[in-house]
Amino acid sequence: MSRFPLILFLSLFIPVLFQGCSTFYNVSLVKIEVIQPSEIILPSEYRKLAVRYNNTNIAFNQELINYNVLGKAVSDTSNLDSVASRIYYEYFLAALRDQDFLDTIIELRAADYSETSIKDTLSFSHASEIDTSDYDSYVGVVNSYVLSQYLKMYPTATKNKTSEKILDTEFGLYTAAELKAIADSTGADFLLSLDHFYTRNEIDTNEIFAERYYIATELAEVNALWNIYDLNKNLFHYHYLHKNPITWEGECILPEKALKVVPPRRDAVLNSADISGTEFAHMLIPHWMEVERMYYKSGHVDLKQTNELIKDGQWLEAAKHWKKNISNPNKRIAAKCMFNMALVCEMQNDIEAAIDWVVQSYHVFKEKDEMHAYNCKSYLNILAARKLDFKILDKQMQLVEQQ
């Protein structure tokens, strides 16, 4: 997954305003890609994935069609959740494939529950009576019971159904035979199944009394229930409810104008679906993420040419000029060059060297220059977080390499 992280250059010039002497306001911003560890740690033996769109809430569902607009309940008659669920799933799958972390990703044929109802015969007694010494069975029964309770809270549509799907006491929406067939036909280690999806949407306003205007806020929240099956052990291993609220805000003079300053509901719901699908993929695997970093510009004769080098993406060439000036008699030039060297080191994933350069840059003026001290401390916080990320990444990658 190694690659040079620079992908886009964005220039932002801030003129020197304070007595013409503090050149620490002359900065530019650059966007780079950094690798992030996953939030959810999958077992190291999970290298081959089977994934299925298995959404049981695909049909128009009167139980989950209401949303709130300025204090009033409104019903959705377009079955927008069905469209959003497909977008969420497709963006999830695309992001998973884009990172090239898993050895194999096999997409199974999507299930169609548009004419199939879910029949739940499970009760807590199934979980309480199971032999806990059989751990795999016990985990499967508990997870199936949790799934049944979730489907009672957020039931699927019941009208116009021509068939039934009975929840299995140990494997939820699958059976032992079905999971074995998936394992045999795909050779996958685990199955990710998107088993239920709905969105929550509301628009409201808050009055800002002092300023005499209103803040309109729109919420679009994805609720995606994923179940994870270990195909090597034929085990209902885990379930995860991915809830991701996304908000938009706008200002209006009158509350009745709120709908004009936030996105239309359809746009908000579908946009939240694609953002959330990508986010969940990133929660499962190490991934590249675009971030913004700052570096110093300079009008010094020997450093002006670094501006053109940076525009061309020649950071290592620019670094040669900065390194030559880390002992410049002009302390401001020296401090700026040290700081910029830190960014080059971070781009090369040498976090320790980056931290060292920032510390050296800070100590040139310490707290005598507030702006520079602030820039150094902010960057040190970022680098400290990245150092921790690398420790987590090392563990994740070591687990993979051991397979």
Side-chain angles (χ1 to χ4, degrees):
M1 296 179 67
S2 62
R3 53 172 135 161
F4 195 72
L6 175 63
I7 67 165
L8 179 64
F9 172 80
L10 175 64
S11 178
L12 173 65
F13 176 74
I14 304 177
V16 179
L17 299 176
F18 296 90
Q19 302 176 354
C21 63
S22 182
T23 59
F24 290 118
Y25 288 88
N26 188 4
V27 302
S28 278
L29 301 177
V30 63
K31 290 183 178 180
I32 67 173
E33 280 193 333
V34 298
I35 190 168
Q36 298 286 303
S38 62
E39 294 181 31
I40 299 172
I41 309 299
L42 295 173
S44 59
E45 62 269 21
Y46 284 6
R47 302 302 307 147
K48 297 179 181 180
L49 165 68
V51 60
R52 168 176 274 165
Y53 177 84
N54 196 52
N55 182 21
T56 54
N57 191 39
I58 192 69
F60 178 73
N61 186 357
Q62 290 187 332
E63 297 290 337
L64 298 173
I65 62 173
N66 294 327
Y67 59 99
N68 184 288
V69 178
L70 303 178
K72 296 180 180 179
V74 183
S75 296
D76 171 40
T77 58
S78 65
N79 198 14
L80 187 58
D81 280 356
S82 176
V83 179
S85 68
R86 291 296 316 187
I87 291 174
Y88 171 88
Y89 175 81
E90 294 298 337
Y91 271 81
F92 162 77
L93 192 57
L96 211 60
R97 285 174 168 157
D98 183 58
Q99 297 304 320
D100 198 26
F101 177 75
L102 296 167
D103 294 343
T104 307
I105 299 175
I106 302 160
E107 184 181 12
L108 302 179
R109 182 177 178 180
D112 184 2
Y113 285 88
S114 56
E115 297 181 358
T116 303
S117 62
I118 306 300
K119 186 174 182 180
D120 178 11
T121 61
L122 305 186
S123 66
F124 183 70
S125 63
H126 289 107
S128 60
E129 295 173 3
I130 196 74
D131 180 5
T132 55
S133 63
D134 186 351
Y135 178 77
D136 288 355
S137 246
Y138 180 69
V139 168
V141 170
V142 170
N143 283 329
S144 295
Y145 176 73
V146 171
L147 172 61
S148 75
Q149 294 305 296
Y150 184 84
L151 293 178
K152 286 176 181 176
M153 291 173 61
Y154 305 103
T156 58
T158 55
K159 290 186 177 181
N160 303 318
K161 301 293 184 176
T162 58
S163 62
E164 287 184 338
K165 175 74 173 183
I166 300 175
L167 285 181
D168 188 276
T169 57
E170 192 173 334
F171 299 99
L173 290 166
Y174 295 86
T175 64
E178 287 171 338
L179 292 176
K180 187 176 186 306
I182 292 172
D184 292 343
S185 63
T186 64
D189 300 311
F190 68 117
L191 165 66
L192 271 175
S193 183
L194 176 59
D195 287 347
H196 192 278
F197 181 99
Y198 79 97
T199 62
R200 186 167 67 90
N201 178 243
E202 61 183 50
I203 300 173
D204 211 343
T205 59
N206 288 314
E207 184 176 4
I208 309 300
F209 294 100
E211 304 295 334
R212 296 183 179 180
Y213 68 90
Y214 292 83
I215 295 291
T217 303
E218 179 167 13
L219 165 74
E221 180 186 78
V222 158
N223 291 262
L225 180 65
W226 290 89
N227 288 312
I228 303 174
Y229 295 84
D230 187 318
L231 297 178
N232 295 323
K233 298 179 180 178
N234 215 30
L235 165 68
F236 187 173
H237 191 203
Y238 193 64
H239 58 85
Y240 188 87
L241 176 61
H242 181 216
K243 295 172 69 75
N244 191 37
I246 297 175
T247 59
W248 292 261
E249 289 187 349
E251 297 179 5
C252 54
I253 302 300
L254 300 172
E256 53 265 31
K257 301 292 184 181
L259 297 182
K260 294 186 177 181
V261 297
V262 293
R265 177 176 183 262
R266 181 181 179 86
D267 292 352
V269 169
L270 299 186
N271 190 215
S272 70
D274 69 58
I275 293 172
S276 300
T278 301
E279 180 194 79
F280 185 61
H282 290 170
M283 290 174 68
L284 289 176
I285 59 174
H287 57 280
W288 291 91
M289 181 176 74
E290 187 177 82
V291 296
E292 200 169 63
R293 294 288 187 262
M294 184 206 88
Y295 68 94
Y296 286 117
K297 296 177 71 174
S298 175
H300 185 270
V301 175
D302 190 36
L303 297 178
K304 279 185 178 180
Q305 57 190 306
T306 60
N307 298 330
E308 293 302 318
L309 291 171
I310 291 168
K311 287 180 181 179
D312 293 336
Q314 298 184 57
W315 285 87
L316 294 179
E317 288 300 313
K320 292 177 182 178
H321 294 275
W322 290 326
K323 196 166 186 179
K324 283 196 305 184
N325 284 277
I326 59 174
S327 299
N328 194 298
N330 185 324
K331 290 186 176 181
R332 292 190 180 278
I333 292 175
K336 292 164 72 172
C337 288
M338 293 174 188
F339 188 95
N340 291 353
M341 285 298 298
L343 177 56
V344 175
C345 290
E346 185 191 6
M347 287 181 169
Q348 296 178 308
N349 291 329
D350 191 346
I351 305 302
E352 291 291 351
I355 291 172
D356 185 60
W357 280 117
V358 178
V359 170
Q360 288 186 58
S361 182
Y362 167 80
H363 279 290
V364 174
F365 291 100
K366 296 184 179 179
E367 297 296 323
K368 293 178 182 178
D369 190 297
E370 292 183 5
M371 176 57 70
H372 182 58
Y374 173 81
N375 290 340
C376 288
K377 290 176 181 178
S378 298
Y379 197 16
L380 282 173
N381 287 335
I382 291 171
L383 293 173
R386 287 218 63 202
K387 185 177 179 179
L388 180 60
D389 285 343
F390 268 100
K391 288 183 178 179
I392 298 171
L393 276 165
D394 284 344
K395 291 181 180 179
Q396 292 179 354
M397 299 308 293
Q398 285 172 12
L399 288 173
V400 171
E401 290 169 359
Q402 289 170 7
Q403 295 305 306

